[in-house]
Amino acid sequence: MYVDAVHSGLIADMGAERWQTLCVIAAFMNEKGECYPTQDLIADRLKIRRESAAKRLKSLCDYRWHGQPLVTRKRIRNPETKSWEKTVYTIQPISQLAIFDGEAEEV
């Protein structure tokens, strides 16, 4: 986490629930910011119900800081069954979270 998340007002603006949810999904991200945790896994790590995790994830994906999303979501279907197979969340650099050699976007 880069200190700009605090000093720029990002954390205060987004609120505790979205920040907590962002930190949990970011714990699963790769060097590109992509992560694939299930709603059940996120709910488990947050110690909340899956339905509550789904609401938090929607709120986080809808949130904008300086007009930009902190997290984008892409749902992927199984080509055979046509059911949703997984969701890929991508933590954007403006979130002020990075892993390995990732860089945060200046705010």
Side-chain angles (χ1 to χ4, degrees), residues 51-64:
E51 295 81 6
S52 297
K55 288 178 185 175
R56 283 191 183 200
L57 288 163
K58 181 178 179 346
S59 176
L60 179 60
C61 290
D62 289 346
Y63 176 76
R64 300 290 182 269

Side-chain angles (χ1 to χ4, degrees), residues 21-64:
T21 306
L22 174 62
C23 289
V24 167
I25 66 170
F28 297 95
M29 74 179 170
N30 63 20
E31 65 280 350
K32 296 178 192 173
E34 301 167 334
C35 41
Y36 317 89
T38 65
Q39 288 182 359
D40 286 326
L41 184 57
I42 294 165
D44 178 68
R45 297 304 190 266
L46 290 168
K47 301 298 182 217
I48 60 176
R49 295 176 332 142
R50 189 200 56 77
E51 295 81 6
S52 297
K55 288 178 185 175
R56 283 191 183 200
L57 288 163
K58 181 178 179 346
S59 176
L60 179 60
C61 290
D62 289 346
Y63 176 76
R64 300 290 182 269

Side-chain angles (χ1 to χ4, degrees), residues 75-86:
R75 296 178 76 194
I76 299 174
R77 286 192 184 273
N78 180 312
E80 294 174 13
T81 66
K82 305 297 183 203
S83 63
W84 295 116
E85 187 171 81
K86 67 179 174 181

